Amino acid sequence: MEKESIVETRDLVKVYGDGAQVRALDGVNLSIARGELISVMGPSGSGKSTLLNMIGALDLPSSGQVWVNGQDLGQVRALDSFRARTVGFIFQLHNLIPTLTARENVEVPMMGQIAGRGARRRRAEELLELVGLADRMEHLPSQLSGGQRQRVAIARALANQPALVLADEPTGDLDSQSGGEVLELMQQLNQELGTTFVVVTHDPAVARQTARILNMHDGQIVHEHTVGTPFEEDLAAFRRSGLGKALVAGENPLPRLGPNEQTALQRLLASG
Amino acid sequence: MILKNLFRRKTRTLLTVLGVSIGVAAIVALGAMSESLQRGYGALGSGSGADLLVAQAESVDIAFSAIDEEIGAALAGMSGVREVDRMVYTFSSTAGVPYFIVFGYQPDGFAIEHFRIVAGEGLPERPVRRGGRPLILGQAMADDLDKEVGDTLRLYDITFRIVGIYETGEPFEDGAAVVSLEDAQALSGHPRQVNAFLLKLRTTDDVERVQQRIEQRFEDLTVTRSSNFAQEQEAMLYIAAFTWSISLIAVVIGGVVVMNTMLMSVFERTNEIGTLRALGWRRRQILAMVMGESILLNGLGGVTGVGIGIAVVELLEGVPAMNGLLATIIPPALIAQGIGVALVLGLLGGAYPAWRASRLAPAEAMRYEGSSGGSAAQRLKVGGTALRNLMRQPTRTLLTVTGIGLAMMAMVSIGAMTEGMIKELADVFGGSGIHLIGMQADASIDLSTIDVRTVRRIQDVPGVEAAEGFLTGYTAVGDLPFFVVFGYQPHGFAIQDFQVVEGAPLTANRQLLLGRVAAENLDKEVGQTLRIFDTSFRIVGIYETGIPFEEGGGVVSLRDAQALFGQPHKISFLGIRLEDPALAEAVRQEIERRFPEVSVSLVSEFAEDNAEMQLMRSSSWGIALLALLVGGAGMMNTMVMSVFERTREIGVLRSLGWSKGRVLGMILRESVGLSLLGGAAGIVAGIVAIFLLNRNPIMAGFVESRFSLSLFLQTAATALVLGAIGGMYPAWRASRLRPVEALRYE
């Protein structure tokens, strides 16, 4: 391992429901290096948001383990303060508190972590300057545009200098221009601060802006692509994977993979 | 559909039903109480088989009526009168029963016949003293006190022997005792006087003629048909007014809670209502739907409330002290009244929300995405998060604050009146250098009587410098329903307290010093005369004491007062001056040891010690508690709603690392803030209410309400507790939300 990893999962399984059980995560093994900008792709219901919730300690796995920043989440007692200190969240709907100003919204995660109103205020101002909202600090969410709100949400995610920021469809609610700006901001922050970003998206255009793309399907990571890798290498890696071997053998290990998709994938594997 | 709509928010429906039902329960329980008192008084009149009832004119209640026995002979001699019976009605006390009703009847009269003996025998016609004076006991009281025929019963310091148990079917009588006329007179301290004469006429066609003749001949008597007796008792009117005002408070608060709920429900369903309108529903249909929900909600509350009310009455019936005050049977009219009030509440509370719902423009309603609180919060640059969160739903916050404010207003104003009375009572005896106050042991303040001879003997107790008795009585004079007559020795030390500011002090009988407030209300001056009962008094002076209760009455000589109230050689209270005030406690104990019939208090503690004042205090707390319960239900309702609405937001806070405790704290702060706002509003409203009450001449002459810091602190503390308790459950619920689920909540 060339770089220290910040997230590791081993055989992660999450089952929902008592009667008709849904395996939202079905044995996920994953390693994310510190400072990476990575995206998780997949259709809705593929388990990408569930994976994010597990990494962010919002939910506990049915089995398997998650390590974040060297800590086994199964062993962490105070998950609240773990969340406050180690991870930052960005949601699809900005989810800002409507009664609080931009600055106050950024201060929310610092309450209980950073003592002193003054210190919190200075830090929030610093962060809003960083995301380019120095002139919008005392505005309420209802007075900001969609892109601006999402910038506030990014600033809020960075409040306690987390090692890791988890973004669930951060551009899902934005037009393509503001979406692009938001993504650029994340890239810039990733470079300047070295913060690790995990971005869940179903938009290939967004995913292409990140360094590595994980493809999820039916609760499994079915494919991994590092941006810049030649297509042939990628395809060879796919042939070597379990899924690739099964497909070449004419089997379909994924119950939700339609016949057309299966045929298309098999043709792809047979090419080159 | 209406039912389903109500069940969408079970907690809210439950809390609203609870709020309404507490109000209705109050109406039922208090109504049952005043109903049975009324019935009891009805029984006094008509149960005896009399056609007419003769009592003292201008006495507030039959319990204060006193007529000389000899008048009975004169009444019997009047044409048209067939038979005259006499009745004494008084209160005594025995262990566990502070107000024990005792009737005195002639053992050979016609009225006693309706006390049907179920065990033992009736009252003997000739007095027997062996083993205690004879007494027959009501079945209900016998059960409560666990007494049988042959047992003894001590009333004040007189021992009675139970010779029989009776039943009349009237709780008022079955929870009491009957003794001979003479024994009852001894208990009441009014020898040779009765409370009323009961008349049987030769023919019932004569009723009006006889009535007029008696009233012409005896100016100070009032004659009522026995069937109308209960309605004409002034005290009944006060009790009814009191009952209604408490019910009104509970109902108004309940109405606010209902409106709040319905308004919230309409807000939440703005989208849905828009859709219904778009699908072709008329405004009328929307109106009917919301009104239907509101009425159903209140109907539920009404039925529950009647149930709670009946349960409370049943529960209280088991308490001996409440015997005779509560009927086993709750009249159907009362139940109908309770449910009717609930339904009217539903109509009133639902009207505004229904109107608002019906006025929504379909297109706008369908676009509505819940209140983001933008505009209201924007204006509010100051104030913490809690305040801003409350301002997200200004209507709801306002309604909740109104509800709590009303409860607090009731608490403040009733509390202030009680404090005022206690303070006045303390002041009445506080001046004139009195160190100790004596009154009849175990008696109520209104009925305390002590023999003048006892006063003389107390003067001989070592350490006593002087002892002086004085007599107080109530009557109605002119337009004033309550006029207190104080009888003092004109040259004694106690009268010095009444500072004469106009005219001269009292020097002889038939003279009257009039209080400043009474003089103004009656429009009288020095030199004029004032009739009290049938006696004319010359006003020799006007006094001021600074105590409204005193200034709303008048002072006459002790002898005149004794004559007026038919209590020769009796006094109500006695004031004692000591040689050495430091020995007050020792002298107090010595007097009580030597004279067990007298209860003595230090002047500073008299008002606080007094059973009546304690009763008033606890009833004021009871009313406050009632209001708080209703307000608390409304409060919790609001907070539960607020948590529901913000489920997603709470999910965000939790995912940003807020701990459960922090979320709990946030909701609690809001809830406490809300109820403190209500408390502040209530204190202000209470002050205004009292200010208005004090301007009413009748109230002003009676009591000056007092606001004390401790009353305000009490109110604020109650608001705080209300907020904490009302917020506890919603806060707990909020803190228990699982972040992932809360984030997904739509």
Side-chain angles (χ1 to χ4, degrees), chain B residues 693-705:
Chain B
L693 267 184
N694 278 346
R695 291 178 56 130
N696 176 331
I698 293 168
M699 271 306 292
F702 186 48
V703 60
E704 185 189 35
S705 304

Side-chain angles (χ1 to χ4, degrees), chain B residues 478-490:
Chain B
D479 297 332
L480 297 179
F482 277 108
F483 182 84
V484 190
V485 178
F486 301 91
Y488 280 92
Q489 285 171 11

Side-chain angles (χ1 to χ4, degrees), chain A residues 35-243:
Chain A
E36 252 191 300
L37 175 60
I38 185 171
S39 60
V40 182
M41 279 195 74
S44 62
S46 59
K48 45 191 199 309
S49 291
T50 308
L51 177 64
L52 211 63
N53 288 344
M54 297 295 149
I55 298 173
L58 279 181
D59 209 349
L60 294 173
S62 305
S63 70
Q65 284 165 296
V66 187
W67 287 267
V68 177
N69 213 16
Q71 286 174 285
D72 179 352
L73 293 194
Q75 309 292 323
V76 175
R77 290 219 145 247
L79 286 176
D80 299 325
S81 35
F82 164 80
R83 280 200 293 271
R85 286 190 209 118
T86 317
V87 292
F89 280 95
I90 301 168
F91 305 95
Q92 172 174 9
L93 298 167
H94 56 85
N95 273 328
L96 299 177
I97 310 291
T99 49
L100 301 183
T101 63
R103 178 178 53 73
E104 287 165 331
N105 262 293
V106 176
E107 285 182 36
V108 164
M110 300 186 235
M111 295 175 186
Q113 304 298 330
I114 297 179
R117 246 164 225 266
R120 289 205 294 263
R121 189 190 175 110
R122 275 194 300 281
R123 170 90 182 129
E125 284 168 357
E126 221 173 88
L127 285 165
L128 284 168
E129 271 167 37
L130 193 66
V131 299
L133 289 176
D135 53 344
R136 292 282 185 275
M137 291 196 201
E138 300 304 324
H139 285 56
L140 288 170
S142 57
Q143 299 163 316
L144 297 173
S145 72
Q148 286 170 334
R149 285 182 215 170
Q150 206 56 297
R151 281 162 187 268
V152 177
I154 292 171
R156 181 177 67 179
L158 295 170
N160 292 328
Q161 292 175 291
L164 177 67
V165 170
L166 304 172
D168 194 353
E169 305 273 10
T171 60
D173 229 26
L174 301 177
D175 60 65
S176 56
Q177 197 199 334
S178 338
E181 284 169 12
V182 163
L183 212 71
E184 264 174 47
L185 177 62
M186 289 199 279
Q187 283 173 325
Q188 178 202 333
L189 293 168
N190 171 252
Q191 305 261 308
E192 287 175 9
L193 306 174
T195 312
T196 313
F197 279 80
V198 180
V199 182
V200 162
T201 180
H202 62 258
D203 182 358
V206 170
R208 273 197 292 275
Q209 311 270 330
T210 64
R212 190 152 69 110
I213 304 167
L214 300 177
N215 271 297
M216 286 195 76
H217 215 290
D218 285 348
Q220 295 173 352
I221 295 174
V222 294
H223 182 59
E224 195 182 315
H225 170 76
T226 306
V227 176
T229 321
F231 178 69
E232 286 70 27
E233 255 178 58
D234 230 22
L235 194 60
F238 187 29
R239 283 200 191 99
R240 285 196 300 277
S241 71
L243 180 66

Side-chain angles (χ1 to χ4, degrees), chain B residues 107 112 117-126 128-138 147-153 160-166 177-180:
Chain B
I112 203 169
I117 301 295
V118 292
E121 50 195 31
L123 285 182
E125 298 198 0
R126 286 208 189 101
V128 192
R129 290 285 162 95
R130 187 164 31 86
R133 305 183 192 201
L135 171 146
I136 55 176
L137 192 61
K147 293 278 186 190
E148 285 173 18
V149 173
D151 289 348
T152 57
L153 187 66
F160 288 88
R161 175 163 297 274
I162 301 166
V163 298
I165 307 284
Y166 66 82
V178 179
V179 299
S180 75

